[in-house]
Amino acid sequence: MPCDPRITPDGAELQLVFDSDPFAVRRALAALTTGLAPHLPVPTDRDTVEIVLAEVLNNVVEHAYRAGPGRIELRIRPTAEGLICAIADHGLPMPGGMLPQGLLSTPATTDSLPEGGYGWHLIRMLSQDLCYCRDRGRNCLSFRLARTQSAPFQ
Amino acid sequence: MEMRTERHGGALLVHVADARIDAAVAIRFKDAMRDVIMEPSDRVILDLSQVAFLDSSGLGAVVAVMKMLPPDRPLELAGLTPTVEKVFRLTRMDRVFTIHPEAPVATDPGRLHAL
């Protein structure tokens, strides 16, 4: 099943292909921030886009390509419902073929606070229509980033 | 990672000069902070007013720095920019750290750490 049928390879979307390297992710995020600025007049929406894309792309670098480097493909299409984003890589599949739940732990003491595991929580808090599939050795992740949204967390 | 330290009374005030604490520099940030906090103080105040972006790796590194310090020597944060504030709020870390709207004015001149 395709991840998101709304993504089609025509000219109305932003596409980037880059290496699975944290500094390449930085450069991609800088290019996206500039490229998407006309579609994101509200500062909080720009924050959301950068946070979610950073988390998703860092996960690909750190987990999918942990055994060796590869390429990351990113496509973003601005629509009336928000930005439709699709990320593909040829790295290792998600454990269990599923996306992490991204639940925050609530330790009793600050000493036992985890030093990681916050990424999927942020992705799930800030994105909509999150979908993952593995297709012929490829990880496909898609989601929507609504515009001018307020944070759902109380 | 570039940092500058100053004193504010008994507190060690650490100004982060980089615009990002992200996956690309999180380990370097943690290592730099490990050196910086060798200077004795009652508490450590991390001035993040120059940091426009922090991701979950950067957040993990800040948590790691807090855990390097003994319980009676807290790590406090100051000057969170909007994106950084959002990451702390959404992960509920704003309840874990004391967060000052602005970094206090130093009482002693500082030192530059380029690490």
Side-chain angles (χ1 to χ4, degrees):
Chain A
M1 188 186 95
C3 253
D4 194 317
R6 284 173 291 186
I7 293 279
T8 52
D10 62 22
E13 60 182 36
L14 206 143
Q15 300 192 27
L16 281 180
V17 180
F18 49 95
D19 292 329
S20 61
D21 168 88
F23 288 98
V25 168
R26 256 195 191 188
R27 288 191 292 274
L29 289 172
L32 290 166
T33 310
T34 308
L36 292 170
H39 302 286
L40 298 167
V42 180
T44 53
D45 290 348
R46 291 200 288 273
D47 296 347
T48 295
V49 169
E50 188 166 13
I51 292 167
V52 175
L53 291 175
E55 297 302 337
V56 165
L57 298 174
N58 287 333
N59 279 328
V60 174
V61 173
E62 289 168 26
H63 300 292
Y65 283 127
R66 69 176 176 272
R71 304 285 273 174
I72 303 173
E73 298 162 37
L74 170 64
R75 290 184 289 157
I76 300 180
R77 161 176 283 216
T79 71
E81 293 84 40
L83 302 179
I84 311 294
C85 306
I87 290 103
D89 66 74
H90 289 87
L92 300 168
M94 283 283 171
M98 288 166 63
L99 296 177
Q101 282 300 305
L103 300 174
L104 285 187
S105 63
T106 48
T109 62
T110 52
D111 242 18
S112 47
L113 269 176
E115 293 171 28
Y118 302 106
W120 277 103
H121 176 75
L122 290 168
I123 296 165
R124 288 190 179 273
M125 294 286 287
L126 295 171
S127 70
Q128 297 79 36
D129 307 340
L130 195 59
C131 170
Y132 167 72
C133 68
R134 180 82 178 173
D135 179 31
R136 288 167 291 177
R138 242 165 90 96
N139 291 313
C140 307
L141 182 74
S142 68
F143 50 87
R144 182 169 58 90
L145 298 172
R147 282 179 277 192
T148 59
Q149 70 175 31
S150 56
F153 179 68
Q154 296 303 309
Chain B
M1 216 64 221
E2 193 175 303
M3 293 176 191
R4 193 164 49 83
T5 56
E6 293 178 313
R7 305 292 307 194
H8 174 74
L12 177 66
L13 186 53
V14 185
H15 305 280
V16 180
D18 290 41
R20 300 175 77 87
I21 307 178
D22 61 11
V25 297
I27 291 171
R28 253 187 288 165
F29 168 78
K30 209 158 66 173
D31 290 345
M33 284 300 293
R34 189 177 284 116
D35 286 348
V36 163
I37 62 175
M38 298 282 274
E39 184 175 331
S41 69
D42 301 340
R43 59 194 170 122
V44 178
I45 304 174
L46 189 62
D47 173 15
L48 296 173
S49 58
Q50 300 302 307
V51 179
F53 187 76
L54 172 140
D55 64 12
S56 66
S57 302
L59 179 68
V62 173
V63 171
V65 172
M66 179 192 67
K67 289 163 70 173
M68 287 175 199
L69 295 163
D72 60 350
R73 194 184 173 205
L75 176 67
E76 302 177 356
L77 309 176
L80 270 54
T81 58
T83 314
V84 176
E85 188 276 332
K86 190 169 186 165
V87 169
F88 273 84
R89 179 167 41 84
L90 291 174
T91 55
R92 298 177 216 166
M93 284 294 143
D94 57 341
R95 302 176 189 180
V96 172
F97 291 92
T98 297
I99 299 176
H100 306 281
E102 286 177 27
V105 177
T107 51
D108 281 307
R111 289 197 294 142
L112 187 69
H113 303 253
L115 299 157

